[in-house]
Amino acid sequence: MHAASESPSTIALIGNPNTGKTTLFNALTGANAKIGNYSGVTVDIKSGETYTPHGKKLRVLDLPGCYSLRAPSPDEQVAVDALTGDLPGYAKPDLVVCVLDASNLERHLQLALQVIALQIPTILALNMVDMAEKSGLRLDPAKLAAELGVPVVPMQASAGKGIIELKQALRFPFPSAAHAMWVPGTDDAEDTRRTFIRNLCELAARRPDAHQLTFADQLDDWLLHPVWGWVAFFAIMFAVFWGIFSFARIPMGWIESAQGVVAGGVESLMPAGDLRSLLVDGVLGGVGGVVVFLPQIVLLFFFIGLLESSGYMARAAYLMDGVMSRAGLSGKAFLPLFSSYACAIPGVMASRTIGSAKERLATIFIAPWMSCSARLPVYFLIVPLLLHENEGSWKQALVLFAIYTLGTLSAFVVARVLRRKLGPDHTAHHFMLELPPYRWPQWRYIFRHVLERGGSFVAKAGTIILGISILLWALSTYPKADGDGADALAASAMGRIGAVIEPVVRPLGFDGRVGTAILTSFAAREVFNSSLAVLFRVDEAAGEEATRNSLRDRLALAKWPDGTPLFTPLSIISLLVFYIYALQCLPTSVVVAKEAGSWKWALGQLAFMSGFAYAASLGVFQIGKLLGF
Amino acid sequence: MDWQTLIAAGIVIVTLTIFLVRLVRPQQRGGCGHDCGCGKK
């Protein structure tokens, strides 16, 4: 027997964007790939395994969503190549499961007919039939199957309904390829297809005679309104930030207390010495300075999941389309840029959905200015220094909102300049946005996603941040010198680095310790907190009591050698501005080089963003000083 | 050198070695290198 004959048969999931392909993929394979109630979530092929009712193993491919097989964008081309067997590393699929949104059959059947015409055995998965029936659509899957000559399985993948029926349809031998009777072999194939679909829908997907204004339509009248839509958008975003600051306070207090108890325990069990200092100041201080913000990270991803899953994000994309066009970008850039608020890496990768190469490059270039979640620990540490929590969470939320707005608006300005420099496209690219129905959030997926992101954050803190904290502690401890904490730190390697850096960062309002923390965070932004925790473990003006306080309290007590406070409102704003603009993420640069096809772009982006961050921070501090702040 | 200094120095050396090994080790398949949600790990 040939080895090839033992390899599992391949089935490919294809369909228009946002039809639930990834939800079906997860249900079939037991995977936990990211899903969302908006188009373009999948930009790469995902592969998994499932079994037929007879126990035969099948390889399942989840292809990026596409509207037609005449693919204009890189991600759609991937789907087409996968179907035709032209994609390296993937065999031509033995069966295609074409996933259709039952509510939008007229539009989605266009792609289905093109797939069937390829003469590959095909099954139609009629997904989200519950929503279609609620809207009054009367579906007849049996009629649909008879007219198209392929099996049709009605289902609701998100609730696991219809999965067994689909698996039964996957049993061997696969159904034979249907004859595409609607393709007459003439130039007007598209018109013939359209007429065929219209007639088919009259038979098998009948709409109620009178158009009913649904609750979703009424809601859209408000949420997509040119004025009220923006009011709702800003209100929702503000509520998210306020929620993050308000709800996270209690669990943050628990983490800080636990950290204090462990540090106190270590100090009472061990005599003073290097190992105790390493454990308390290096490990607990460094890792704790990042982990304490876990509640905020978890809440942010929970709110993002809620907005994505409910269908609101597509409405936000619709609103943003006008703003994006002024920046020389189309609405297609919204999803990559929105993804970058979580992490710039999937955002840069999601730019594959953009058909225009020039627009894609501009999107990749500005993506890191969308404030990613790695910046949050820095913001959450610094913002309460500017506004104490007694002043109210809403004020802190307002500052965070301003930070996000500043980053985003600056990115749009740069995109506009860059698009002008790159010149116009030679071919026209159109943006089509499908507004998904409002859905009740899929709690299971939201919580799994939040758990995954929270776990990833803790894992990073427990590995990379832990390692860097240990090394930072060594750099701030050795070589040793006689004297108190401040003198010992000045004599250490880190103290000497700080002395070299200080003249460069002093015009921004920072001392050598803050400068060193910025330098160490070039690999990953969160290291800034760990560095500050190690560097500010002993404050020259404070006694033993202060070293037990939280990092924020110690920063508030920090002073210049002349006794003036180190962190003034102006220097804090200068620091915030620096972190809004600086590109301090090595993995992002690696992915940008790969996606843009050149290291020139990645290095240019790094140089531009670092230079801009420095200049902006310098401008803020110096102008602020001139104005008497 | 007291025992605390010795153990602390050992931990620092082991950490540094792990970082250096990770730096020079050939990279595995593409992706972001983290669980960032891009589908690759």
Side-chain angles (χ1 to χ4, degrees):
Chain A
M1 192 181 279
H2 293 291
S5 66
E6 288 181 1
S7 62
S9 299
T10 303
I11 61 172
L13 305 182
I14 194 166
N16 282 209
N18 199 35
T19 51
K21 292 179 294 301
T22 306
T23 306
L24 179 58
F25 174 81
N26 287 343
L28 283 173
T29 62
N32 187 25
K34 183 179 176 356
I35 58 162
N37 186 13
Y38 52 93
S39 59
V41 173
T42 307
V43 293
D44 208 347
I45 291 183
K46 282 194 280 287
S47 175
E49 285 172 357
T50 191
Y51 291 87
T52 66
H54 296 126
K56 188 166 170 59
K57 196 193 319 187
L58 297 173
R59 190 179 184 206
V60 186
L61 302 180
D62 178 21
L63 307 183
C66 52
Y67 290 102
S68 113
L69 294 183
R70 294 183 301 278
S73 71
D75 61 322
E76 289 180 333
Q77 187 63 51
V78 166
V80 175
D81 289 347
L83 279 191
T84 52
D86 291 332
L87 202 67
Y90 294 96
K92 188 175 175 180
D94 302 288
L95 177 84
V96 176
V97 176
C98 193
V99 187
L100 314 179
D101 177 355
S103 308
N104 292 305
L105 272 186
E106 275 184 46
R107 202 159 55 246
H108 291 194
L109 275 169
Q110 287 277 352
L111 175 71
L113 296 196
Q114 290 178 32
V115 172
I116 294 169
L118 289 177
Q119 293 285 294
I120 307 171
T122 304
I123 295 174
L124 297 191
L126 212 57
N127 198 17
M128 298 183 267
V129 284
D130 56 320
M131 303 287 296
E133 281 165 4
K134 261 188 207 162
S135 71
L137 204 67
R138 278 169 288 172
L139 294 164
D140 188 345
K143 190 81 189 165
L144 212 56
E147 291 293 320
L148 292 168
V150 297
V152 176
V153 182
M155 62 193 314
Q156 189 191 341
S158 61
K161 291 177 186 169
I163 303 293
I164 294 171
E165 289 79 358
L166 179 66
K167 282 197 169 186
Q168 282 168 343
L170 298 178
R171 87 171 47 162
F172 281 93
F174 285 143
S176 54
H179 176 64
M181 64 190 97
W182 55 88
V183 182
T186 58
D187 289 341
D188 60 349
E190 200 154 316
D191 285 341
T192 314
R193 249 199 321 263
R194 210 170 290 140
T195 310
F196 178 83
I197 290 171
R198 202 166 40 241
N199 295 337
L200 182 61
C201 287
E202 274 174 24
L203 284 171
R206 280 168 294 159
R207 292 193 177 277
D209 295 334
H211 179 69
Q212 295 167 334
L213 204 62
T214 62
F215 173 70
D217 294 332
Q218 290 169 341
L219 203 57
D220 276 345
D221 280 348
W222 288 95
L223 294 180
L224 302 178
H225 189 272
V227 177
W228 297 117
W230 281 105
V231 172
F233 175 79
F234 285 115
I236 290 169
M237 292 302 148
F238 179 76
V240 166
F241 293 133
W242 176 82
I244 290 171
F245 271 109
S246 300
F247 302 144
R249 199 174 291 161
I250 297 168
M252 268 184 80
W254 295 338
I255 296 173
E256 279 178 339
S257 302
Q259 203 182 322
V261 168
V262 176
V266 172
E267 283 175 342
S268 64
L269 288 171
M270 289 176 78
D274 279 359
L275 184 60
R276 190 178 94 169
S277 172
L278 169 63
L279 292 177
V280 174
D281 304 321
V283 175
L284 282 171
V287 176
V290 176
V291 168
V292 73
F293 301 107
L294 177 67
Q296 274 105 329
I297 302 285
V298 164
L299 279 169
L300 177 77
F301 284 108
F302 172 75
F303 286 128
I304 287 178
L306 213 59
L307 294 176
E308 283 178 356
S309 187
S310 62
Y312 179 72
M313 273 308 160
R315 272 78 188 173
Y318 175 86
L319 280 179
M320 290 296 282
D321 189 41
V323 180
M324 310 271 277
S325 67
R326 287 185 192 173
L329 303 171
S330 74
K332 269 207 161 187
F334 175 78
L335 181 68
L337 294 179
F338 173 71
S339 303
S340 302
Y341 284 117
C343 172
I345 291 164
V348 169
M349 292 174 74
S351 68
R352 289 177 199 171
T353 54
I354 301 168
S356 156
K358 289 172 181 174
E359 187 182 336
R360 191 169 172 236
L361 278 175
T363 307
I364 289 174
F365 196 82
I366 62 164
W369 270 3
M370 306 295 124
S371 281
C372 73
S373 60
R375 282 183 173 101
L376 283 178
V378 179
Y379 295 153
F380 289 138
L381 178 69
I382 303 172
V383 171
L385 273 180
L386 189 66
L387 287 166
H388 196 268
E389 58 190 34
N390 294 344
E391 298 209 35
S393 299
W394 70 272
K395 283 187 185 171
Q396 295 179 336
L398 212 59
V399 172
L400 197 62
F401 187 71
I403 288 169
Y404 274 70
T405 307
L406 183 61
T408 307
L409 291 181
S410 309
F412 286 164
V413 171
V414 171
R416 189 182 167 89
V417 174
L418 196 60
R419 281 295 279 128
R420 278 193 183 165
K421 272 192 101 66
L422 290 171
D425 285 314
H426 297 301
T427 51
H429 293 273
H430 303 286
F431 171 56
M432 189 164 78
L433 176 74
E434 200 164 319
L435 287 181
Y438 290 102
R439 287 179 205 148
W440 195 244
Q442 295 178 40
W443 299 111
R444 195 160 55 98
Y445 283 110
I446 292 176
F447 285 119
R448 268 168 78 170
H449 189 55
V450 166
L451 207 65
E452 195 182 84
R453 298 304 300 243
S456 166
F457 180 77
V458 173
K460 193 176 180 186
T463 51
I464 297 168
I465 305 288
L466 171 68
I468 292 176
S469 298
I470 291 171
L471 297 181
L472 289 173
W473 173 86
L475 286 172
S476 66
T477 305
Y478 305 115
K480 285 197 162 187
D482 294 332
D484 66 1
D487 289 339
L489 182 66
S492 70
M494 191 101 84
R496 289 172 200 197
I497 294 169
V500 173
I501 291 174
E502 189 159 310
V504 181
V505 296
R506 210 182 165 108
L508 315 184
F510 317 142
D511 73 349
R513 291 173 294 181
V514 179
T516 310
I518 289 173
L519 188 72
T520 55
S521 66
F522 259 86
R525 297 178 182 93
E526 306 94 315
V527 175
F528 179 75
N529 289 25
S530 306
S531 299
L532 288 185
V534 173
L535 287 163
F536 285 82
R537 63 181 188 246
V538 179
D539 193 278
E540 62 271 26
E544 180 69 18
E545 195 57 36
T547 63
R548 292 287 192 85
N549 291 342
S550 71
L551 173 60
R552 197 177 300 127
D553 295 336
R554 279 180 277 147
L555 294 179
L557 290 170
K559 290 184 169 51
W560 287 98
D562 63 5
T564 55
L566 177 60
F567 290 99
T568 62
L570 188 59
S571 69
I572 294 168
I573 292 172
S574 169
L575 192 55
L576 281 174
V577 167
F578 185 88
Y579 269 92
I580 289 170
Y581 294 123
L583 170 61
Q584 289 167 300
C585 183
L586 219 52
T588 299
S589 294
V590 174
V591 173
V592 166
K594 194 177 151 207
E595 294 292 323
S598 158
W599 268 99
K600 200 171 71 179
W601 273 94
L603 293 175
Q605 187 186 43
L606 178 66
F608 170 74
M609 289 189 177
S610 305
F612 194 96
Y614 187 89
S617 183
L618 179 73
V620 165
F621 189 73
Q622 293 302 329
I623 293 169
K625 244 176 44 172
L626 281 176
L627 294 174
F629 287 103
Chain B
M1 222 186 263
D2 70 308
W3 66 274
Q4 284 210 26
T5 307
L6 272 175
I7 296 175
I11 293 172
V12 171
I13 290 166
V14 168
T15 308
L16 192 62
T17 309
I18 293 171
F19 269 102
L20 289 175
V21 168
R22 283 173 66 108
L23 197 71
V24 296
R25 196 179 55 186
Q27 292 291 306
Q28 290 173 349
R29 57 194 290 261
C32 63
H34 305 283
D35 294 340
C36 68
C38 67
K40 291 178 180 175
K41 293 186 179 181

